[in-house]
Amino acid sequence: MLSERQEYLEGGLSELACERCAALVRVRKSSLEQTSVQWTTAAAGQCDTDLGALVPTCPGLQASIERAVLAGRLEVP
Ligand SMILES: [Zn+2]
């Protein structure tokens, strides 16, 4: 998962705020199951989840992403 972070500079990123900690991250869906999340240093500091390779998103952000997809605010190819 970590190697995917290199691709984040490419297009297709949408800004999304975590509904739990309000951290602002950039998100890109490469498929319905695959989500790339780009954390800024500020966002990572704002989120109280211990982010790492095994926990690429906090639970609140996960829910926010799913909601955004359902609402059509996040494009899924
Ligand atoms: Zn969060």
Side-chain angles (χ1 to χ4, degrees):
M1 278 315 227
L2 270 181
S3 63
E4 285 182 21
R5 292 189 184 205
Q6 261 72 63
E7 305 170 7
Y8 294 171
L9 296 173
E10 309 293 305
L13 290 162
S14 305
E15 281 204 324
L16 195 73
C18 174
E19 61 188 29
R20 185 160 150 266
C21 61
L24 197 62
V25 299
R26 291 186 184 141
V27 177
R28 179 170 60 89
K29 291 292 270 184
S30 40
S31 75
L32 206 54
E33 295 83 20
Q34 280 215 307
T35 311
S36 302
V37 179
Q38 185 180 53
W39 287 87
T40 61
T41 311
Q46 194 164 353
C47 189
D48 55 15
T49 307
D50 189 15
L51 300 165
L54 295 175
V55 188
T57 69
C58 100
L61 183 63
Q62 198 69 54
S64 303
I65 291 170
E66 281 165 24
R67 220 179 298 269
V69 169
L70 286 175
R73 283 184 285 123
L74 203 57
E75 266 186 59
V76 183

